[in-house]
Amino acid sequence: MDRGQLAEFLRIKRQGLQPTDVGLPAGLRRRTPGLRREEVASLATMSTDYYTRLEQGRGPRPSRAVLTGLARGLRLSDDERDHLFRLAGEQPGPPPGPPVDVRTGVLRMLSRLDVPGLVLDAKYDVLAWNPLAAALITDFSALPARDRNLLRLRFLTDRQTELFGENATQEFAAEAAADLRTATTKYPNDPEIARLVRDLLDGSPEFAEIWARHEVGRQQSLCQTIFHPQVGRIDVICEVLVVPERDQRVVLYTAEPGSESDQAIRLLDVIGTQELTTRS
């Protein structure tokens, strides 16, 4: 264990984080940059005294559970997490599970987009979405957190086939299943991924058939035709933008500018806004 390097690494990563990066209010002006030690300790689920001793280079050798908490609290990338473990004299091992926190900049971009967009983690949980995506696909806020998952929507409900038609959903099904198998290898100890695979195998013969192929891959951009009950047919291209340090992706549903599909999305934007105003 290199106590000096570990202390310096923790201090630098803490000072590089802003409260808004971890979902905390900005508050009053701070005398020093970054988060306070007590804030990191709370995010990492440990005592402030213990964290302070680690950052001062006089703490005991941290356990793997403590290191995992620090990596989570400091929002470390996979490479940074591995480095943290090695500084503490531990072999990194696989990450515990896909990160669920979305960068503030990604959330800001999502809110300003004029096309439907959402953020997925490695197991296809929908972590964030804009109002247009909710109007296009489904109101994710009305679903239980566990059901905000595109694989559950695709294989365990009729919603995806109803919206996108049979051919498009078959293509998505194959790519998404291959993507999920990659996630099971990267996060072998994540109970949520294991539960998702089990539920899909038990509830969908189609998924079980695809899963048996042992295909591994990454979802690419694809064209889809959406049959929306309010605005009719919309031909879209699903563009996938990767956020590598979070193992997340931003999915954007775009249409040819000036086309009927583009006009349908604009109309959907108006309808969604009117409905939101009415509910408010």
Side-chain angles (χ1 to χ4, degrees):
M1 174 179 175
D2 191 331
R3 283 183 171 82
Q5 288 294 310
L6 176 62
E8 185 176 358
F9 181 70
L10 292 174
R11 186 168 55 254
I12 289 173
K13 299 312 296 183
R14 173 177 63 82
Q15 292 174 347
L17 281 175
Q18 298 303 315
T20 53
D21 294 333
V22 296
L24 295 175
L28 300 175
R29 183 175 181 181
R30 299 177 176 227
R31 291 179 298 175
T32 57
L35 298 180
R36 300 186 179 95
R37 287 172 176 166
E38 58 266 26
E39 291 171 332
V40 172
S42 176
L43 292 167
T45 321
M46 65 181 63
S47 71
T48 302
D49 178 66
Y50 183 32
Y51 176 77
T52 299
R53 284 186 289 143
L54 285 176
E55 199 174 283
Q56 291 176 344
R58 55 186 183 87
R61 181 173 178 171
S63 67
R64 296 183 68 86
V66 167
L67 293 170
T68 298
L70 287 169
R72 181 182 64 249
L74 290 169
R75 303 300 192 261
L76 301 184
S77 66
D78 288 346
D79 288 341
E80 290 170 334
R81 172 188 172 278
D82 291 352
H83 181 64
L84 172 69
F85 269 69
R86 292 190 180 99
L87 288 177
E90 293 281 354
Q91 288 301 311
V100 298
D101 56 298
V102 182
R103 281 182 9 209
T104 303
V106 174
L107 292 174
R108 188 179 299 118
M109 176 192 71
L110 198 65
S111 68
R112 294 180 179 178
L113 289 173
D114 61 354
V115 298
L118 46 81
V119 180
L120 305 175
D121 70 3
K123 61 181 182 296
Y124 280 70
D125 274 357
V126 181
L127 305 179
W129 60 91
N130 61 16
L132 257 177
L136 179 68
I137 302 173
T138 191
D139 184 1
F140 295 104
S141 64
L143 298 177
R146 184 179 179 182
D147 293 338
R148 296 172 191 168
N149 180 280
L150 292 191
L151 288 167
R152 290 185 183 276
L153 286 173
R154 168 59 183 86
F155 289 105
L156 302 181
T157 73
D158 295 329
R159 183 62 176 159
Q160 289 286 73
T161 301
E162 173 190 328
L163 272 177
F164 301 116
E166 190 65 29
N167 292 335
T169 53
Q170 286 180 349
E171 184 177 359
F172 170 78
E175 289 191 356
D179 217 351
L180 181 61
R181 187 172 287 280
T182 300
T184 64
T185 304
K186 185 172 184 178
Y187 305 102
N189 300 321
D190 181 47
E192 294 300 321
I193 291 180
R195 184 180 297 113
L196 174 61
V197 173
R198 185 169 59 251
D199 289 349
L200 292 170
L201 287 172
D202 290 343
S204 173
E206 180 190 7
F207 178 82
E209 188 276 326
I210 296 173
W211 192 250
R213 303 174 193 165
H214 282 264
E215 294 177 347
V216 179
R218 195 72 162 172
Q219 185 191 4
Q220 306 295 321
S221 301
L222 56 89
C223 299
Q224 291 185 331
T225 297
I226 299 173
F227 300 97
H228 196 277
Q230 293 174 292
V231 300
R233 173 172 174 157
I234 311 175
D235 296 314
V236 296
I237 299 174
C238 298
E239 296 289 352
V240 181
L241 310 178
V242 177
V243 185
E245 71 274 14
R246 289 284 188 270
D247 198 9
Q248 296 168 1
R249 67 209 71 175
V250 182
V251 182
L252 306 178
Y253 298 87
T254 65
E256 184 69 26
S259 65
E260 291 184 1
S261 295
D262 184 50
Q263 294 172 13
I265 291 177
R266 303 281 72 78
L267 178 58
L268 191 61
D269 191 14
V270 174
I271 293 174
T273 303
Q274 288 175 345
E275 291 181 347
L276 181 61
T277 304
T278 302
R279 287 197 298 268
S280 301

